[in-house]
Amino acid sequence: MKAVIVGGGKIGYFLAQTLDEKGYRVVVVEKNEKECLKLADELNIEVICGDGTDLDVLNDAGMNHANVVAAVTGLDEENLVICQIAKLNYKIEKTIARVNNPKNKIMFQNSESIKRFVVHR
């Protein structure tokens, strides 16, 4: 199974680590170059440094072969867009989004692009 994680902060880091330990082929997409270097240095996974809403970056990450996509950036709007791209452009069944602001919960509940979301407090 292949997982693409967009967002390489604390949540993305530990999610990547956990999925890697469970045998997933993991690719993390992260904008911040410093975070990319840390992930690549500490975990045995593929790391793409770039914008997770950019189709070229997602293609480089192998999104067309992913079984699951987790959008765990610090921006709710970005997480929603990433899940919509995964569903509409790549036909990915399982999408997971991090919700940073509980007030945005309704936006994620009403989206058909999100299979599961986690409110982060």
Side-chain angles (χ1 to χ4, degrees):
M1 298 264 296
K2 181 172 183 172
V4 174
I5 301 169
V6 181
K10 289 178 186 175
I11 293 173
Y13 180 98
F14 289 110
L15 180 58
Q17 185 178 44
T18 301
L19 291 176
D20 182 52
E21 289 170 358
K22 293 187 180 285
Y24 280 76
R25 290 181 306 137
V26 179
V27 178
V28 174
V29 177
E30 169 60 44
K31 284 182 189 178
N32 182 298
E33 189 174 342
K34 183 179 174 183
E35 291 294 325
C36 288
L37 293 172
K38 178 184 176 185
L39 286 161
D41 203 34
E42 296 179 10
L43 300 177
N44 187 29
I45 60 168
E46 184 179 351
V47 180
I48 305 289
C49 197
D51 183 348
T53 62
D54 183 316
L55 293 179
D56 290 331
V57 171
L58 295 175
N59 287 333
D60 289 345
M63 187 78 112
N64 55 336
H65 300 294
N67 302 95
V68 62
V69 171
V72 294
T73 75
L75 300 171
D76 290 351
E77 298 82 4
E78 196 169 280
N79 294 337
L80 181 61
V81 167
I82 291 162
C83 288
Q84 288 174 331
I85 290 170
K87 282 285 187 187
L88 299 173
N89 291 56
Y90 297 96
K91 310 296 185 227
I92 294 173
E93 291 285 325
K94 296 179 184 177
T95 58
I96 301 164
R98 171 185 176 188
V99 180
N100 299 284
N101 184 345
K103 291 179 181 179
N104 291 333
K105 183 178 173 181
I106 193 78
M107 177 175 66
F108 286 80
Q109 286 174 327
N110 291 335
S111 174
E112 302 220 359
S113 300
I114 311 293
K115 282 285 186 195
R116 181 169 291 172
F117 63 91
V118 178
V119 178
H120 184 262
R121 297 174 194 216

